[in-house]
Amino acid sequence: RKEVEQDPGPFNVPEGATVAFNCTYSNSASQSFFWYRQDCRKEPKLLMSVYSSGNEDGRFTAQLNRASQYISLLIRDSKLSDSATYLCVVRRGSGTYKYIFGTGTRLKVLA
Amino acid sequence: GAGVSQTPSNKVTEKGKYVELRCDPISGHTALYWYRQSLGQGPEFLIYFQGTGAADDSGLPNDRFFAVRPEGSVSTLKIQRTERGDSAVYLCASSLGGVGDNEQFFGPGTRLTVL
């Protein structure tokens, strides 16, 4: 079992739709959580950090459930430009800045 | 300002050869990371440096892989006796470092192909 697991997709959704991705992590000592976005054949870029209280950035909402060890990302009013792979990232634990990436979930927003 | 740069952008080599991959981080970033990404997978952690020292090298797959950062800036990932399974995109990232989680800025990667 991978330490950070994501459904690889692809998720094909029409423009304007709301789509949600989940990610589970196995190490209960994990400290910090993030979503990165990676466009095809490009480098990953930070989308947002994920806080215990949940956080929102425009059309994007991230949630963390420590008890169940999962992280979610909700995208509202999908745009064509949201088409990308979304990577769930977890910092393994205190005393290290080792970041573990999930496989990524591929999103295609269709016109 | 300048982002993270990596050279070469592409490297084709033969099985058994030695390769060096270079990363120039963002100026002032003390933390530097190396990852490897295969097709359809997320980046796989290899090693990270805080300053000149390797703070965590637990992701290096075996002793054919080695990385240095002698002056706390540029880093070189060295792979000896390359194997076909080493073919991947090697990504470098840098961040401010220190205490706390700081955003990692990635370079464009080096695509390594071992024939």
Side-chain angles (χ1 to χ4, degrees), chain A residues 2 31-34 36 38 41-46 87 89 91-92 95-104, chain B residues 33 35 37 40-45 48 56 58-59 91 98-109 111:
Chain A
K2 292 189 175 183
Q31 289 286 312
S32 310
F33 310 89
F34 311 88
Y36 274 71
Q38 186 171 27
R41 299 180 79 87
K42 297 286 190 181
E43 69 271 21
K45 293 184 179 179
L46 179 66
L87 298 160
V89 186
R91 176 159 67 91
R92 178 170 274 184
T96 180
Y97 288 92
K98 178 175 179 177
Y99 295 89
I100 308 300
F101 284 71
T103 303
Chain B
Y33 298 79
Y35 296 89
Q37 187 171 26
Q41 302 296 314
E44 173 194 7
F45 172 87
Y48 92 90
D56 189 328
S58 60
L91 293 165
V99 177
D101 296 290
N102 294 292
E103 180 177 355
Q104 292 183 60
F105 294 86
F106 283 81
R111 183 174 299 275

Coordinates of all heavy atoms in Angstrom, one line a residue, chain A residues 2 31-34 36 38 41-46 87 89 91-92 95-104, chain B residues 33 35 37 40-45 48 56 58-59 91 98-109 111:
Chain A
K2 N 0.5 2.2 -0.9 CA 1.3 3.4 -0.9 C 1.0 4.3 0.3 O -0.1 4.3 0.8 CB 1.0 4.2 -2.2 CG 1.5 3.5 -3.5 CD 1.4 4.3 -4.7 CE 2.0 3.6 -5.9 NZ 2.0 4.4 -7.1
Q31 N 2.5 15.5 9.2 CA 2.4 16.8 9.9 C 1.6 17.8 9.0 O 0.8 18.6 9.5 CB 3.8 17.3 10.2 CG 4.5 16.6 11.3 CD 3.9 17.0 12.6 OE1 3.8 18.1 12.9 NE2 3.7 15.9 13.4
S32 N 2.0 17.9 7.7 CA 1.5 19.0 6.9 C 1.0 18.4 5.6 O 1.5 17.4 5.1 CB 2.6 20.0 6.7 OG 3.2 20.4 7.9
F33 N 0.0 19.2 5.0 CA -0.7 18.6 3.9 C -0.9 19.7 2.8 O -1.1 20.9 3.1 CB -2.0 18.1 4.3 CG -1.9 17.2 5.5 CD1 -2.0 17.7 6.8 CD2 -1.7 15.8 5.4 CE1 -1.8 16.9 7.9 CE2 -1.6 15.0 6.5 CZ -1.6 15.5 7.7
F34 N -0.8 19.3 1.5 CA -0.8 20.3 0.4 C -1.5 19.6 -0.8 O -1.5 18.4 -0.9 CB 0.6 20.7 0.1 CG 1.5 21.0 1.2 CD1 2.2 20.1 1.9 CD2 1.5 22.4 1.7 CE1 3.0 20.4 3.0 CE2 2.3 22.7 2.7 CZ 3.0 21.7 3.4
Y36 N -0.8 20.1 -4.9 CA 0.0 20.7 -6.0 C -0.8 20.4 -7.3 O -1.5 19.4 -7.4 CB 1.4 20.1 -6.0 CG 2.4 20.8 -5.1 CD1 2.3 20.6 -3.7 CD2 3.4 21.6 -5.6 CE1 3.3 21.3 -2.9 CE2 4.4 22.2 -4.8 CZ 4.3 22.0 -3.5 OH 5.2 22.6 -2.6
Q38 N -0.1 19.9 -11.5 CA 0.9 19.7 -12.5 C 0.2 19.6 -13.8 O -0.6 18.7 -14.1 CB 1.6 18.4 -12.2 CG 2.8 18.2 -13.1 CD 3.7 17.0 -12.7 OE1 3.3 16.1 -12.0 NE2 5.0 17.0 -13.1
R41 N 3.4 17.6 -18.8 CA 4.9 17.8 -19.1 C 5.4 19.1 -18.5 O 6.4 19.6 -19.1 CB 5.1 17.7 -20.6 CG 4.7 16.4 -21.3 CD 4.9 16.4 -22.8 NE 6.3 16.2 -23.1 CZ 6.8 15.0 -23.2 NH1 6.1 13.9 -23.0 NH2 8.1 14.8 -23.6
K42 N 4.9 19.5 -17.4 CA 5.4 20.7 -16.7 C 5.7 20.3 -15.3 O 5.4 19.2 -14.8 CB 4.3 21.8 -16.7 CG 3.9 22.3 -18.1 CD 5.0 23.2 -18.6 CE 4.6 23.9 -19.9 NZ 5.7 24.7 -20.4
E43 N 6.3 21.2 -14.6 CA 6.7 20.9 -13.2 C 5.5 21.2 -12.3 O 4.6 22.0 -12.6 CB 7.8 21.8 -12.7 CG 7.6 23.3 -12.6 CD 7.8 24.0 -13.9 OE1 7.8 23.4 -15.0 OE2 7.9 25.3 -13.8
P44 N 5.4 20.5 -11.1 CA 4.4 20.8 -10.1 C 4.5 22.2 -9.6 O 5.5 22.7 -9.4 CB 4.6 19.7 -9.0 CG 5.5 18.7 -9.6 CD 6.3 19.4 -10.7
K45 N 3.3 22.7 -9.2 CA 3.2 24.0 -8.6 C 2.2 24.0 -7.4 O 1.2 23.3 -7.5 CB 2.8 25.1 -9.6 CG 3.8 25.4 -10.7 CD 3.4 26.5 -11.6 CE 4.5 26.7 -12.6 NZ 4.1 27.8 -13.6
L46 N 2.6 24.6 -6.3 CA 1.7 24.6 -5.2 C 0.3 25.3 -5.5 O 0.3 26.4 -6.0 CB 2.4 25.4 -4.0 CG 1.5 25.5 -2.7 CD1 1.4 24.1 -2.1 CD2 2.2 26.4 -1.7
L87 N -2.0 16.8 -7.4 CA -1.1 15.9 -6.5 C -1.3 16.2 -5.1 O -1.2 17.4 -4.6 CB 0.4 16.2 -6.9 CG 0.8 15.8 -8.3 CD1 2.1 16.6 -8.6 CD2 1.0 14.3 -8.5
V89 N 0.0 15.9 -1.3 CA 1.4 15.9 -0.8 C 1.3 16.0 0.8 O 0.5 16.8 1.3 CB 2.2 17.1 -1.3 CG1 3.7 16.9 -0.8 CG2 2.2 17.2 -2.8
R91 N 3.7 15.9 4.4 CA 5.0 15.9 5.1 C 5.0 14.7 6.1 O 4.1 14.7 7.0 CB 5.4 17.2 5.7 CG 6.7 17.1 6.5 CD 7.3 18.4 6.7 NE 6.6 19.3 7.6 CZ 6.8 19.4 8.9 NH1 7.7 18.6 9.5 NH2 6.1 20.3 9.6
R92 N 6.0 13.9 6.0 CA 5.9 12.6 6.8 C 5.8 12.8 8.3 O 5.0 12.0 8.9 CB 7.2 11.8 6.4 CG 7.2 10.5 7.2 CD 8.2 9.6 6.7 NE 7.8 8.8 5.5 CZ 8.5 7.9 4.9 NH1 9.7 7.6 5.3 NH2 8.0 7.2 3.9
G95 N 10.5 16.5 12.6 CA 11.9 16.2 12.5 C 12.4 16.0 11.1 O 13.6 15.7 10.9
T96 N 11.5 16.0 10.1 CA 11.9 15.8 8.8 C 11.1 16.7 7.9 O 9.9 17.0 8.1 CB 11.8 14.4 8.3 OG1 12.2 14.3 6.9 CG2 10.4 13.9 8.4
Y97 N 11.7 17.2 6.8 CA 11.0 17.9 5.7 C 10.9 17.0 4.5 O 11.2 17.5 3.4 CB 11.6 19.3 5.5 CG 11.2 20.2 6.7 CD1 12.1 20.3 7.8 CD2 10.0 20.9 6.7 CE1 11.8 21.1 8.9 CE2 9.7 21.7 7.8 CZ 10.6 21.8 8.9 OH 10.2 22.6 9.9
K98 N 10.6 15.8 4.7 CA 10.5 14.8 3.6 C 9.0 14.8 3.2 O 8.1 14.6 4.0 CB 10.9 13.4 4.0 CG 10.7 12.3 3.0 CD 11.3 11.0 3.5 CE 11.1 9.9 2.5 NZ 11.8 8.7 3.0
Y99 N 8.8 15.1 1.9 CA 7.4 15.3 1.4 C 7.1 14.1 0.5 O 7.9 13.7 -0.4 CB 7.2 16.6 0.6 CG 7.4 17.8 1.5 CD1 8.6 18.4 1.7 CD2 6.3 18.3 2.2 CE1 8.8 19.5 2.6 CE2 6.4 19.4 3.0 CZ 7.7 20.0 3.2 OH 7.8 21.1 4.0
I100 N 5.9 13.5 0.8 CA 5.5 12.3 0.0 C 4.4 12.7 -0.9 O 3.4 13.3 -0.5 CB 5.0 11.2 0.9 CG1 6.1 10.9 2.0 CG2 4.7 9.9 0.1 CD1 7.4 10.4 1.5
F101 N 4.5 12.5 -2.2 CA 3.5 12.8 -3.2 C 2.7 11.6 -3.5 O 3.2 10.5 -3.7 CB 4.2 13.3 -4.5 CG 4.7 14.7 -4.4 CD1 5.8 15.0 -3.7 CD2 4.2 15.7 -5.2 CE1 6.4 16.3 -3.6 CE2 4.7 17.0 -5.1 CZ 5.8 17.3 -4.3
G102 N 1.4 11.8 -3.7 CA 0.5 10.8 -4.3 C 0.7 10.7 -5.8 O 1.5 11.5 -6.4
T103 N 0.1 9.7 -6.4 CA 0.2 9.5 -7.8 C -0.4 10.6 -8.6 O 0.0 10.8 -9.8 CB -0.5 8.2 -8.2 OG1 0.0 7.1 -7.4 CG2 -0.4 7.8 -9.6
G104 N -1.4 11.3 -8.0 CA -2.0 12.4 -8.7 C -3.4 11.9 -9.3 O -3.6 10.7 -9.6
Chain B
Y33 N 15.6 20.0 -2.9 CA 15.1 18.7 -3.0 C 15.3 18.1 -4.3 O 15.3 18.8 -5.4 CB 13.6 18.7 -2.8 CG 13.1 19.3 -1.4 CD1 13.1 20.6 -1.2 CD2 12.7 18.4 -0.4 CE1 12.7 21.1 0.1 CE2 12.3 18.9 0.8 CZ 12.3 20.2 1.1 OH 11.9 20.7 2.3
Y35 N 13.7 14.9 -6.7 CA 12.7 13.9 -6.9 C 12.9 13.2 -8.2 O 13.5 13.8 -9.1 CB 11.3 14.6 -6.9 CG 10.9 15.3 -5.6 CD1 11.2 16.6 -5.4 CD2 10.1 14.6 -4.6 CE1 10.8 17.3 -4.2 CE2 9.7 15.2 -3.5 CZ 10.1 16.6 -3.3 OH 9.7 17.2 -2.1
Q37 N 10.4 11.3 -11.2 CA 9.0 11.1 -11.6 C 9.0 10.2 -12.8 O 9.5 10.6 -13.9 CB 8.3 12.4 -11.8 CG 6.8 12.3 -12.1 CD 6.1 13.6 -12.1 OE1 6.6 14.7 -12.4 NE2 4.8 13.6 -11.8
G40 N 3.0 8.7 -15.3 CA 1.8 8.3 -14.6 C 1.9 8.2 -13.1 O 1.0 7.8 -12.4
Q41 N 3.1 8.6 -12.6 CA 3.3 8.6 -11.1 C 3.6 10.0 -10.6 O 3.9 10.9 -11.4 CB 4.5 7.7 -10.8 CG 4.5 6.3 -11.3 CD 3.3 5.5 -10.6 OE1 3.2 5.6 -9.4 NE2 2.5 4.8 -11.4
G42 N 3.4 10.1 -9.3 CA 3.8 11.4 -8.7 C 5.3 11.5 -8.4 O 6.0 10.5 -8.6
P43 N 5.8 12.6 -8.1 CA 7.3 12.7 -7.8 C 7.6 11.9 -6.6 O 6.9 11.8 -5.6 CB 7.4 14.2 -7.5 CG 6.3 14.9 -8.2 CD 5.2 14.0 -8.2
E44 N 8.7 11.2 -6.7 CA 9.2 10.3 -5.7 C 10.4 10.9 -5.0 O 11.4 11.3 -5.7 CB 9.6 8.9 -6.3 CG 10.3 8.0 -5.4 CD 11.0 6.8 -6.1 OE1 11.0 6.8 -7.4 OE2 11.5 5.9 -5.4
F45 N 10.3 11.1 -3.7 CA 11.4 11.8 -3.0 C 12.7 11.0 -3.1 O 12.7 9.8 -2.9 CB 11.0 11.9 -1.5 CG 12.0 12.4 -0.6 CD1 12.2 13.8 -0.4 CD2 12.9 11.5 0.1 CE1 13.2 14.2 0.5 CE2 13.9 12.0 0.9 CZ 14.1 13.3 1.1
Y48 N 16.9 15.5 0.4 CA 16.9 16.9 0.5 C 18.0 17.4 1.3 O 18.6 16.8 2.2 CB 15.5 17.4 1.0 CG 15.3 17.6 2.5 CD1 15.6 18.8 3.1 CD2 14.8 16.5 3.3 CE1 15.4 18.9 4.5 CE2 14.6 16.7 4.6 CZ 14.9 17.9 5.2 OH 14.7 18.0 6.6
D56 N 18.2 14.5 4.7 CA 17.5 13.2 4.6 C 17.7 12.6 3.2 O 17.3 13.2 2.2 CB 15.9 13.4 4.8 CG 15.2 12.1 4.9 OD1 15.5 11.1 4.3 OD2 14.1 12.1 5.6
S58 N 17.0 9.3 2.6 CA 16.4 8.0 2.7 C 15.7 7.6 1.4 O 15.4 6.4 1.2 CB 15.4 8.0 3.8 OG 14.4 8.9 3.6
G59 N 15.5 8.5 0.4 CA 14.8 8.1 -0.8 C 15.8 7.7 -1.9 O 15.3 7.2 -2.9
L91 N 13.4 15.8 -11.0 CA 13.0 17.1 -10.7 C 13.8 17.7 -9.5 O 14.0 16.9 -8.5 CB 11.5 17.1 -10.3 CG 10.5 16.8 -11.4 CD1 9.1 16.5 -10.8 CD2 10.4 18.0 -12.4
G98 N 14.7 26.3 6.6 CA 14.5 26.7 8.0 C 13.3 25.9 8.6 O 12.9 24.9 8.2
V99 N 12.7 26.5 9.6 CA 11.6 25.9 10.4 C 10.3 26.1 9.6 O 10.1 27.2 9.1 CB 11.6 26.4 11.8 CG1 10.4 25.8 12.5 CG2 12.9 26.1 12.5
G100 N 9.5 25.1 9.6 CA 8.2 25.3 9.0 C 8.1 24.9 7.5 O 9.1 24.7 6.9
D101 N 6.9 24.7 7.0 CA 6.7 24.3 5.7 C 6.7 25.5 4.8 O 5.9 26.4 4.9 CB 5.4 23.6 5.5 CG 5.4 22.3 6.3 OD1 6.1 21.3 5.9 OD2 4.7 22.2 7.3
N102 N 7.7 25.5 3.9 CA 7.7 26.6 2.9 C 7.5 26.0 1.5 O 7.8 24.9 1.2 CB 9.1 27.3 2.9 CG 9.4 28.0 4.2 OD1 8.8 29.0 4.5 ND2 10.3 27.5 5.0
E103 N 6.9 26.8 0.6 CA 6.5 26.4 -0.7 C 7.7 25.9 -1.4 O 8.8 26.6 -1.4 CB 5.9 27.5 -1.5 CG 5.4 27.2 -2.9 CD 4.7 28.3 -3.6 OE1 4.5 29.3 -3.0 OE2 4.4 28.1 -4.8
Q104 N 7.6 24.8 -2.1 CA 8.7 24.3 -2.9 C 8.4 24.8 -4.3 O 7.3 24.7 -4.9 CB 8.7 22.7 -2.9 CG 9.1 22.1 -1.6 CD 9.1 20.6 -1.7 OE1 9.9 20.1 -2.5 NE2 8.3 19.9 -0.9
F105 N 9.5 25.3 -4.9 CA 9.5 25.8 -6.3 C 10.3 24.8 -7.1 O 11.5 24.5 -6.9 CB 10.1 27.2 -6.4 CG 9.2 28.2 -5.7 CD1 9.4 28.5 -4.4 CD2 8.3 28.9 -6.4 CE1 8.6 29.4 -3.7 CE2 7.5 29.9 -5.8 CZ 7.7 30.1 -4.4
F106 N 9.6 24.2 -8.1 CA 10.2 23.2 -8.9 C 10.9 23.7 -10.2 O 10.4 24.7 -10.8 CB 9.2 22.1 -9.3 CG 8.8 21.2 -8.3 CD1 7.9 21.5 -7.3 CD2 9.4 19.9 -8.2 CE1 7.5 20.6 -6.3 CE2 9.0 19.0 -7.2 CZ 8.1 19.4 -6.2
G107 N 12.0 23.0 -10.6 CA 12.5 23.3 -11.9 C 11.8 22.5 -13.0 O 10.9 21.7 -12.6
P108 N 12.2 22.7 -14.2 CA 11.5 22.1 -15.3 C 11.9 20.6 -15.5 O 11.2 19.9 -16.2 CB 11.9 22.8 -16.6 CG 13.3 23.4 -16.2 CD 13.2 23.7 -14.7
G109 N 12.9 20.1 -14.7 CA 13.3 18.7 -14.8 C 14.3 18.4 -15.8 O 14.5 19.1 -16.8
R111 N 15.0 15.1 -18.3 CA 14.4 13.8 -18.7 C 15.6 12.9 -19.0 O 16.4 13.2 -20.0 CB 13.5 14.0 -19.9 CG 12.9 12.8 -20.4 CD 11.9 13.1 -21.6 NE 10.8 13.9 -21.1 CZ 9.7 13.5 -20.5 NH1 9.5 12.2 -20.2 NH2 8.8 14.4 -20.1

